[in-house]
Amino acid sequence: MLGLENKIVAIAGGSRGIGRATAERFAQAGASVVIGSRTETEFTEAADSIRKMGTTALGLPLDVTSKESVQQFFNRIDQEFGRLDVLVYCSGMNRRVPAEAYPEDAWDQVLSTNLKGAYLCCQEAGQRMIQQKDGAIVTITSMTSHIATPNQSAYAATKGGLLQYTKVLAVEWGKHNIRVNAVSPGYIETALNANNFRNETFRNNVLNQMPMGRFGGTEEIANAACFLASPMASYITGACLPVDGGFLAGHPNIIMQ
């Protein structure tokens, strides 16, 4: 139905959380999936699990902050498959610290993973897609690409930058038949934010302002990424699809007088 059968899909950060769910969803659609991650046990287990679904899956080491590692990752895809149809950039990290006390090393680490990593991976993917005159890239951004929340200065800076970078790639590469879009997840419980979600006050405060009254699932982000990467979205590029239960649209329990 999605038209993703036999497509070669690379997922940076595909061994857990949203990335893992996205890898599984592409596999369900008939694509061959390449999972990149820094942790061998995780990318090996993820690839083994997906192969049991009856499709091709390959787990490879990938440190998105290292140009050499990124080049090796994409070169291996060339060797194994001879082409690359889709890149999904899911790699990300966060450090929550007040802006006036944000450590320089933490700032550099967040920027290297969330923004420099996207640049390195998208550039490698784009070079290949330009040659074949076809391809799709989906970046996973954030609600902080659109709004600000406390104690996330580095994260918000990277996710805002990632959304703009996504749009620039769409504008530059449209002539090569390459579409570049973003998905902005809402409140999705993953390993990255598990500690916050265990906090009852946090949960209640968020749900009180959520139009749909619930948190989202990783599979709901995966569905959006698959749609944007598929031929069903053939005339969509430079777009950002919020998958957030309506949070960016407004908050039902704020009363204006």
Side-chain angles (χ1 to χ4, degrees):
M1 181 177 176
L2 287 171
L4 292 168
E5 297 85 355
N6 302 315
K7 297 292 186 181
I8 310 302
V9 180
I11 302 179
S15 64
R16 58 184 176 179
I18 289 172
R20 173 71 174 265
T22 301
E24 292 172 351
R25 185 65 186 89
F26 273 101
Q28 290 169 356
S32 296
V33 177
V34 184
I35 295 168
S37 168
R38 288 183 299 180
T39 307
E40 183 174 1
T41 54
E42 291 185 355
F43 68 67
T44 299
E45 188 277 328
D48 289 344
S49 177
I50 289 173
R51 280 193 292 271
K52 293 176 182 177
M53 298 167 60
T55 190
T56 301
L58 181 64
L60 295 176
L62 174 63
D63 177 359
V64 299
T65 68
S66 164
K67 184 172 184 177
E68 181 181 6
S69 176
V70 170
Q71 289 177 332
Q72 290 175 350
F73 176 77
F74 284 95
N75 287 341
R76 182 71 183 279
I77 293 173
D78 293 339
Q79 296 168 6
E80 295 289 336
F81 300 101
R83 64 179 290 113
L84 175 66
D85 300 299
V86 176
L87 167 67
V88 182
Y89 191 81
C90 289
S91 295
M93 66 166 298
N94 194 4
R95 288 279 301 276
R96 290 177 171 85
V97 182
E100 68 274 14
Y102 213 97
E104 183 179 0
D105 62 340
W107 179 275
D108 290 342
Q109 188 179 26
V110 173
L111 262 68
S112 291
T113 300
N114 296 2
L115 196 52
K116 181 183 177 181
Y119 146 71
L120 291 173
C121 289
C122 288
Q123 188 175 74
E124 288 290 327
Q127 291 169 354
R128 289 157 172 79
M129 293 173 180
I130 287 171
Q131 290 182 352
Q132 63 197 31
K133 293 292 183 181
D134 184 64
I137 296 173
V138 179
T139 62
I140 305 300
T141 57
S142 166
M143 288 191 296
T144 62
S145 300
H146 313 273
I147 61 173
T149 55
N151 302 326
Q152 301 193 83
S153 54
Y155 187 77
T158 61
K159 292 300 186 175
L162 181 56
L163 179 54
Q164 286 301 106
Y165 181 59
T166 299
K167 292 178 180 181
V168 169
L169 296 184
V171 170
E172 289 194 24
W173 294 348
K175 62 187 178 184
H176 301 296
N177 196 35
I178 300 168
R179 297 181 302 101
V180 190
N181 293 290
V183 175
S184 284
Y187 285 94
I188 313 294
E189 189 167 4
T190 69
L192 186 65
N193 57 27
N195 287 335
N196 282 339
F197 277 72
R198 294 189 189 102
N199 185 301
E200 186 175 352
T201 300
F202 169 83
R203 295 178 69 91
N204 291 339
N205 285 343
V206 171
L207 291 175
N208 191 49
Q209 302 304 326
M210 187 72 67
M212 291 188 69
R214 67 173 179 87
F215 297 116
T218 55
E219 72 282 356
E220 292 175 299
I221 309 304
N223 286 336
C226 281
F227 164 71
L228 288 173
S230 78
M232 295 183 72
S234 57
Y235 200 50
I236 300 175
T237 195
C240 180
L241 177 58
V243 183
D244 65 351
F247 190 87
L248 290 175
H251 309 303
N253 293 308
I254 295 179
I255 299 174
M256 304 296 292
Q257 294 182 346

